mmCIF file of all heavy atoms in Angstrom:
data_model
loop_
_atom_site.group_PDB
_atom_site.id
_atom_site.type_symbol
_atom_site.label_atom_id
_atom_site.label_comp_id
_atom_site.label_asym_id
_atom_site.label_seq_id
_atom_site.Cartn_x
_atom_site.Cartn_y
_atom_site.Cartn_z
ATOM 1 N N ASP A 63 -7.698 2.778 23.241
ATOM 2 C CA ASP A 63 -7.132 3.530 24.408
ATOM 3 C C ASP A 63 -6.672 4.904 24.011
ATOM 4 O O ASP A 63 -6.812 5.857 24.780
ATOM 5 C CB ASP A 63 -5.973 2.724 25.012
ATOM 6 C CG ASP A 63 -6.449 1.524 25.777
ATOM 7 O OD1 ASP A 63 -7.629 1.397 26.061
ATOM 8 O OD2 ASP A 63 -5.578 0.631 26.006
ATOM 9 N N GLU A 64 -6.145 5.065 22.803
ATOM 10 C CA GLU A 64 -5.708 6.378 22.345
ATOM 11 C C GLU A 64 -6.864 7.363 22.176
ATOM 12 O O GLU A 64 -6.730 8.539 22.303
ATOM 13 C CB GLU A 64 -4.892 6.280 21.054
ATOM 14 C CG GLU A 64 -3.555 5.612 21.228
ATOM 15 C CD GLU A 64 -2.814 5.507 19.886
ATOM 16 O OE1 GLU A 64 -2.477 6.576 19.345
ATOM 17 O OE2 GLU A 64 -2.585 4.409 19.468
ATOM 18 N N LEU A 65 -8.055 6.805 21.914
ATOM 19 C CA LEU A 65 -9.224 7.621 21.661
ATOM 20 C C LEU A 65 -10.050 7.903 22.898
ATOM 21 O O LEU A 65 -10.570 9.027 23.055
ATOM 22 C CB LEU A 65 -10.099 6.968 20.594
ATOM 23 C CG LEU A 65 -9.475 6.699 19.235
ATOM 24 C CD1 LEU A 65 -10.424 5.936 18.355
ATOM 25 C CD2 LEU A 65 -9.079 8.013 18.572
ATOM 26 N N VAL A 66 -10.180 6.910 23.785
ATOM 27 C CA VAL A 66 -11.051 7.089 24.918
ATOM 28 C C VAL A 66 -10.372 6.731 26.279
ATOM 29 O O VAL A 66 -11.038 6.756 27.304
ATOM 30 C CB VAL A 66 -12.343 6.268 24.795
ATOM 31 C CG1 VAL A 66 -13.148 6.708 23.582
ATOM 32 C CG2 VAL A 66 -12.080 4.785 24.723
ATOM 33 N N GLY A 67 -9.096 6.415 26.226
ATOM 34 C CA GLY A 67 -8.425 6.020 27.471
ATOM 35 C C GLY A 67 -9.010 4.688 28.025
ATOM 36 O O GLY A 67 -9.281 3.810 27.209
ATOM 37 N N SER A 68 -9.177 4.595 29.262
ATOM 38 C CA SER A 68 -9.732 3.346 29.846
ATOM 39 C C SER A 68 -11.274 3.346 29.898
ATOM 40 O O SER A 68 -11.861 2.377 30.323
ATOM 41 C CB SER A 68 -9.190 3.197 31.294
ATOM 42 O OG SER A 68 -9.631 4.291 32.071
ATOM 43 N N ARG A 69 -11.866 4.415 29.406
ATOM 44 C CA ARG A 69 -13.322 4.526 29.403
ATOM 45 C C ARG A 69 -13.951 3.832 28.219
ATOM 46 O O ARG A 69 -13.260 3.390 27.304
ATOM 47 C CB ARG A 69 -13.696 5.947 29.467
ATOM 48 C CG ARG A 69 -13.332 6.603 30.773
ATOM 49 C CD ARG A 69 -13.744 8.060 30.827
ATOM 50 N NE ARG A 69 -13.514 8.640 32.160
ATOM 51 C CZ ARG A 69 -12.501 9.332 32.514
ATOM 52 N NH1 ARG A 69 -11.490 9.581 31.658
ATOM 53 N NH2 ARG A 69 -12.418 9.816 33.728
ATOM 54 N N SER A 70 -15.266 3.738 28.178
ATOM 55 C CA SER A 70 -15.928 3.083 27.045
ATOM 56 C C SER A 70 -16.156 4.054 25.890
ATOM 57 O O SER A 70 -16.213 5.245 26.070
ATOM 58 C CB SER A 70 -17.292 2.507 27.502
ATOM 59 O OG SER A 70 -18.132 3.554 27.905
ATOM 60 N N ALA A 71 -16.239 3.446 24.707
ATOM 61 C CA ALA A 71 -16.536 4.189 23.497
ATOM 62 C C ALA A 71 -18.013 4.021 23.173
ATOM 63 O O ALA A 71 -18.510 2.924 23.219
ATOM 64 C CB ALA A 71 -15.699 3.719 22.341
ATOM 65 N N HIS A 72 -18.666 5.105 22.917
ATOM 66 C CA HIS A 72 -20.099 5.095 22.508
ATOM 67 C C HIS A 72 -20.136 5.460 21.047
ATOM 68 O O HIS A 72 -19.667 6.518 20.648
ATOM 69 C CB HIS A 72 -20.899 6.061 23.394
ATOM 70 C CG HIS A 72 -20.910 5.690 24.837
ATOM 71 N ND1 HIS A 72 -22.076 5.388 25.471
ATOM 72 C CD2 HIS A 72 -19.916 5.531 25.736
ATOM 73 C CE1 HIS A 72 -21.796 5.075 26.741
ATOM 74 N NE2 HIS A 72 -20.509 5.179 26.919
ATOM 75 N N ILE A 73 -20.726 4.536 20.246
ATOM 76 C CA ILE A 73 -20.686 4.715 18.832
ATOM 77 C C ILE A 73 -22.094 4.574 18.260
ATOM 78 O O ILE A 73 -22.781 3.529 18.541
ATOM 79 C CB ILE A 73 -19.772 3.658 18.184
ATOM 80 C CG1 ILE A 73 -18.368 3.739 18.782
ATOM 81 C CG2 ILE A 73 -19.752 3.795 16.670
ATOM 82 C CD1 ILE A 73 -17.480 2.555 18.482
ATOM 83 N N ARG A 74 -22.536 5.544 17.489
ATOM 84 C CA ARG A 74 -23.866 5.454 16.878
ATOM 85 C C ARG A 74 -23.831 4.552 15.717
ATOM 86 O O ARG A 74 -22.938 4.611 14.855
ATOM 87 C CB ARG A 74 -24.306 6.870 16.413
ATOM 88 C CG ARG A 74 -24.590 7.768 17.563
ATOM 89 C CD ARG A 74 -25.256 8.988 17.049
ATOM 90 N NE ARG A 74 -24.952 10.094 17.938
ATOM 91 C CZ ARG A 74 -25.324 11.331 17.714
ATOM 92 N NH1 ARG A 74 -26.041 11.652 16.695
ATOM 93 N NH2 ARG A 74 -25.001 12.276 18.610
ATOM 94 N N VAL A 75 -24.809 3.647 15.669
ATOM 95 C CA VAL A 75 -24.889 2.648 14.584
ATOM 96 C C VAL A 75 -26.396 2.554 14.164
ATOM 97 O O VAL A 75 -27.260 3.052 14.865
ATOM 98 C CB VAL A 75 -24.357 1.248 15.026
ATOM 99 C CG1 VAL A 75 -22.912 1.340 15.372
ATOM 100 C CG2 VAL A 75 -25.174 0.733 16.193
ATOM 101 N N THR A 76 -26.574 1.825 13.135
ATOM 102 C CA THR A 76 -27.940 1.517 12.692
ATOM 103 C C THR A 76 -28.256 0.078 13.075
ATOM 104 O O THR A 76 -27.312 -0.765 13.316
ATOM 105 C CB THR A 76 -28.073 1.656 11.182
ATOM 106 O OG1 THR A 76 -27.174 0.773 10.524
ATOM 107 C CG2 THR A 76 -27.751 3.123 10.758
ATOM 108 N N GLU A 77 -29.513 -0.273 13.049
ATOM 109 C CA GLU A 77 -29.892 -1.689 13.293
ATOM 110 C C GLU A 77 -29.267 -2.572 12.248
ATOM 111 O O GLU A 77 -28.790 -3.679 12.564
ATOM 112 C CB GLU A 77 -31.403 -1.776 13.204
ATOM 113 C CG GLU A 77 -31.973 -3.152 13.439
ATOM 114 C CD GLU A 77 -33.454 -3.205 13.348
ATOM 115 O OE1 GLU A 77 -34.145 -2.196 13.334
ATOM 116 O OE2 GLU A 77 -33.968 -4.375 13.238
ATOM 117 N N GLU A 78 -29.196 -2.139 10.991
ATOM 118 C CA GLU A 78 -28.613 -2.913 9.924
ATOM 119 C C GLU A 78 -27.130 -3.210 10.213
ATOM 120 O O GLU A 78 -26.659 -4.279 9.916
ATOM 121 C CB GLU A 78 -28.779 -2.176 8.572
ATOM 122 C CG GLU A 78 -30.204 -2.104 8.086
ATOM 123 C CD GLU A 78 -31.002 -0.996 8.803
ATOM 124 O OE1 GLU A 78 -30.388 0.023 9.300
ATOM 125 O OE2 GLU A 78 -32.221 -1.144 8.911
ATOM 126 N N PHE A 79 -26.393 -2.240 10.747
ATOM 127 C CA PHE A 79 -25.014 -2.467 11.076
ATOM 128 C C PHE A 79 -24.840 -3.590 12.072
ATOM 129 O O PHE A 79 -24.004 -4.446 11.947
ATOM 130 C CB PHE A 79 -24.385 -1.144 11.601
ATOM 131 C CG PHE A 79 -22.946 -1.313 12.047
ATOM 132 C CD1 PHE A 79 -21.930 -1.253 11.093
ATOM 133 C CD2 PHE A 79 -22.615 -1.488 13.377
ATOM 134 C CE1 PHE A 79 -20.636 -1.424 11.469
ATOM 135 C CE2 PHE A 79 -21.275 -1.621 13.776
ATOM 136 C CZ PHE A 79 -20.265 -1.605 12.821
ATOM 137 N N LEU A 80 -25.733 -3.583 13.118
ATOM 138 C CA LEU A 80 -25.649 -4.654 14.105
ATOM 139 C C LEU A 80 -26.049 -5.995 13.529
ATOM 140 O O LEU A 80 -25.457 -7.044 13.827
ATOM 141 C CB LEU A 80 -26.551 -4.319 15.321
ATOM 142 C CG LEU A 80 -26.107 -3.119 16.182
ATOM 143 C CD1 LEU A 80 -27.127 -2.877 17.283
ATOM 144 C CD2 LEU A 80 -24.719 -3.348 16.740
ATOM 145 N N ARG A 81 -27.058 -5.986 12.702
ATOM 146 C CA ARG A 81 -27.496 -7.282 12.096
ATOM 147 C C ARG A 81 -26.481 -7.857 11.127
ATOM 148 O O ARG A 81 -26.361 -9.063 11.011
ATOM 149 C CB ARG A 81 -28.841 -7.078 11.375
ATOM 150 C CG ARG A 81 -29.976 -6.883 12.328
ATOM 151 C CD ARG A 81 -31.327 -7.101 11.708
ATOM 152 N NE ARG A 81 -32.404 -6.758 12.601
ATOM 153 C CZ ARG A 81 -32.788 -7.521 13.584
ATOM 154 N NH1 ARG A 81 -32.202 -8.656 13.858
ATOM 155 N NH2 ARG A 81 -33.797 -7.146 14.405
ATOM 156 N N SER A 82 -25.675 -6.978 10.486
ATOM 157 C CA SER A 82 -24.713 -7.488 9.525
ATOM 158 C C SER A 82 -23.419 -8.035 10.114
ATOM 159 O O SER A 82 -22.670 -8.700 9.457
ATOM 160 C CB SER A 82 -24.394 -6.403 8.488
ATOM 161 O OG SER A 82 -23.784 -5.324 9.105
ATOM 162 N N GLY A 83 -23.133 -7.758 11.416
ATOM 163 C CA GLY A 83 -22.075 -8.380 12.081
ATOM 164 C C GLY A 83 -20.742 -7.703 12.259
ATOM 165 O O GLY A 83 -19.931 -8.185 13.038
ATOM 166 N N PRO A 84 -20.419 -6.600 11.494
ATOM 167 C CA PRO A 84 -19.108 -6.045 11.655
ATOM 168 C C PRO A 84 -18.825 -5.478 13.065
ATOM 169 O O PRO A 84 -17.678 -5.200 13.410
ATOM 170 C CB PRO A 84 -19.021 -4.936 10.573
ATOM 171 C CG PRO A 84 -20.427 -4.637 10.246
ATOM 172 C CD PRO A 84 -21.210 -5.867 10.493
ATOM 173 N N TYR A 85 -19.865 -5.254 13.823
ATOM 174 C CA TYR A 85 -19.641 -4.716 15.186
ATOM 175 C C TYR A 85 -18.732 -5.645 15.989
ATOM 176 O O TYR A 85 -18.052 -5.157 16.904
ATOM 177 C CB TYR A 85 -21.002 -4.540 15.911
ATOM 178 C CG TYR A 85 -21.643 -5.823 16.326
ATOM 179 C CD1 TYR A 85 -21.321 -6.430 17.588
ATOM 180 C CD2 TYR A 85 -22.556 -6.500 15.548
ATOM 181 C CE1 TYR A 85 -21.910 -7.626 17.980
ATOM 182 C CE2 TYR A 85 -23.165 -7.683 15.963
ATOM 183 C CZ TYR A 85 -22.827 -8.230 17.203
ATOM 184 O OH TYR A 85 -23.428 -9.414 17.561
ATOM 185 N N GLN A 86 -18.670 -6.915 15.615
ATOM 186 C CA GLN A 86 -17.840 -7.835 16.352
ATOM 187 C C GLN A 86 -16.349 -7.598 16.208
ATOM 188 O O GLN A 86 -15.562 -8.162 16.902
ATOM 189 C CB GLN A 86 -18.209 -9.293 15.942
ATOM 190 C CG GLN A 86 -19.606 -9.651 16.314
ATOM 191 C CD GLN A 86 -20.028 -10.974 15.692
ATOM 192 O OE1 GLN A 86 -19.550 -11.318 14.609
ATOM 193 N NE2 GLN A 86 -20.947 -11.631 16.311
ATOM 194 N N GLN A 87 -15.973 -6.679 15.314
ATOM 195 C CA GLN A 87 -14.576 -6.340 15.139
ATOM 196 C C GLN A 87 -14.113 -5.289 16.092
ATOM 197 O O GLN A 87 -12.913 -5.073 16.278
ATOM 198 C CB GLN A 87 -14.352 -5.828 13.716
ATOM 199 C CG GLN A 87 -14.610 -6.879 12.647
ATOM 200 C CD GLN A 87 -14.510 -6.309 11.265
ATOM 201 O OE1 GLN A 87 -13.657 -5.527 10.942
ATOM 202 N NE2 GLN A 87 -15.424 -6.707 10.362
#
Side-chain angles (χ1 to χ4, degrees):
D63 287 344
E64 291 179 64
L65 300 175
V66 298
S68 62
R69 294 181 170 98
S70 64
H72 295 242
I73 303 166
R74 291 190 208 178
V75 298
T76 61
E77 180 182 347
E78 293 77 27
F79 177 81
L80 293 178
R81 289 198 185 283
S82 63
Y85 73 87
Q86 296 169 332
Q87 296 174 42

